């Protein structure tokens, strides 16, 4: 009987101490851990793959896919069917792999493309194949430099044209860097 009386008198204090210590450990653990357990789970949940030692999040991948969808739409392909969408997704993934692996090699070797080279590839006497393809007259097949110049002026005021041009400019730079690397 005296044991029960002792527990009744002291159990409240014991339970309060146990709860208090548990809360303290929980708060301190979260403070010093920075919630890394939950962040790691969330990061793993949204990770769709790894390229090398870097993880690729769904958001990053989907943003690049949407950008490429916009470029296709700006090119006049307003209806994108399922096979084209899959092709765009695969192209985006391959581009991300290439960027991750080759960009490290380019940096390691000091390979780059100067603004003078870009100007020469766009406006020079021997324009890049992408420029020739985009700015050739459809009827004659001849390169139309005035159309290119007018388009470049348009990019200064039209955000859509600028986005379109930046995509192709990046493609030209990537091709040039790949050529130098090879």
């Amino acid at each position: 009987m005296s044991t029960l009386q002792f527990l009744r008198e002291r159990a409240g204090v014991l339970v309060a101490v146990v709860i208090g210590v548990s809360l303290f450990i929980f708060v301190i653990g979260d403070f010093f851990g920075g919630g890394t357990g939950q962040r790691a789970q969330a990061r793993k949940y949204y990770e769709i793959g790894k390229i090398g030692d870097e993880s690729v999040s769904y958001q990053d991948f989907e943003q690049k896919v949407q950008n490429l969808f916009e470029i296709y739409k700006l090119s006049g392909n307003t209806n994108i069917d399922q096979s084209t969408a899959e092709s765009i997704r695969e192209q985006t993934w391959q581009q991300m792999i290439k960027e991750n692996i080759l960009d490290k090699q380019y940096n390691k070797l000091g390979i780059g493309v100067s603004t003078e080279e870009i100007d020469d590839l766009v406006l020079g006497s021997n324009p890049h194949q992408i420029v020739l393809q985009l700015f050739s007259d459809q009827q004659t097949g001849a390169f139309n430099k005035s159309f290119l110049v007018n388009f470049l002026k348009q990019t200064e005021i039209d955000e859509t044209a600028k986005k379109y041009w930046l995509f192709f400019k990046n493609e030209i730079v990537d091709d040039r860097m790949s050529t130098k690397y090879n």
Side-chain angles (χ1 to χ4, degrees), residues 34-93:
T36 55
Q38 290 177 344
R39 278 194 221 127
Q41 282 180 327
R43 189 177 18 223
K44 189 166 180 101
Y45 179 74
Y46 290 111
E47 178 183 292
I48 60 169
K50 281 193 165 204
I51 301 173
D53 57 350
E54 292 183 30
S55 64
V56 178
S57 73
Y58 175 76
Q59 291 87 354
D60 292 341
F61 176 73
E62 193 58 31
Q63 180 64 42
K64 290 185 181 207
V65 168
Q66 292 304 319
N67 288 344
L68 202 52
F69 277 151
E70 286 182 39
I71 296 301
Y72 268 77
K73 288 177 182 174
L74 291 173
S75 298
N77 300 327
T78 55
N79 294 333
I80 299 176
D81 62 356
Q82 186 65 27
S83 65
T84 305
E86 283 301 314
S87 174
I88 290 172
R89 289 184 174 286
E90 180 63 27
Q91 183 180 353
T92 302
W93 183 252

Side-chain angles (χ1 to χ4, degrees), residues 23-39:
L23 284 173
F24 180 74
I25 290 172
F26 176 74
V27 169
I28 294 299
D30 202 33
F31 178 72
F32 286 115
T36 55
Q38 290 177 344
R39 278 194 221 127

Side-chain angles (χ1 to χ4, degrees), residues 98 103 106 111-115 117-119 121-122 128 130 166-180:
K98 185 184 80 61
D103 284 353
Y106 297 155
I111 296 174
V113 178
S114 68
T115 54
E117 281 182 279
I118 295 170
D119 290 344
L121 289 169
V122 173
H128 191 272
I130 292 175
L166 288 176
F167 172 79
F168 286 109
K169 181 180 168 188
N170 287 337
E171 291 294 314
I172 292 168
V173 169
D174 287 345
D175 183 61
R176 181 67 177 154
M177 299 231 324
S178 177
T179 301
K180 286 182 177 184

